[in-house]
Amino acid sequence: ERRYLLEELNRTQAPYPSDQCIHELFEQQVQKASDAVAVVYEDEHLSYGELNAQANRLAHHLIALGVKPDQPVAICL
């Protein structure tokens, strides 16, 4: 049962286009299913569209602070 729970149910390997960046793949998912649930935390749910909007707001805020492309940014969650 332990092996089944830890190994069988966690088989999440799936093919994906390795010539695209993760943010490009995410944007494609937003286009496909904007209203689908992307994140669940306790009783809160965010759709792909909502998550994308928040990510874009954060990106524009960082740009306004002077962050440049390919510049590392520390994230505290």
Side-chain angles (χ1 to χ4, degrees):
E1 183 178 352
R2 181 179 189 277
R3 188 186 71 70
Y4 173 73
L5 291 172
L6 293 175
E7 295 176 20
E8 298 296 324
L9 292 181
N10 279 322
R11 290 188 194 271
T12 57
Q13 185 175 5
Y16 68 93
S18 60
D19 61 333
Q20 292 180 292
C21 296
I22 189 71
H23 70 279
E24 294 170 322
L25 296 172
F26 184 82
E27 290 283 345
Q28 288 177 7
Q29 184 63 27
V30 171
Q31 295 299 316
K32 288 181 195 174
S34 181
D35 293 331
V37 175
V39 176
V40 176
Y41 175 71
E42 293 181 353
D43 61 345
E44 294 185 50
H45 297 77
L46 282 179
S47 70
Y48 281 98
E50 292 167 332
L51 184 57
N52 191 49
Q54 288 190 16
N56 286 334
R57 278 194 295 276
L58 176 58
H60 289 284
H61 177 71
L62 292 172
I63 291 168
L65 292 174
V67 175
K68 305 288 184 221
D70 296 322
Q71 183 177 354
V73 174
I75 299 174
C76 179
L77 301 172

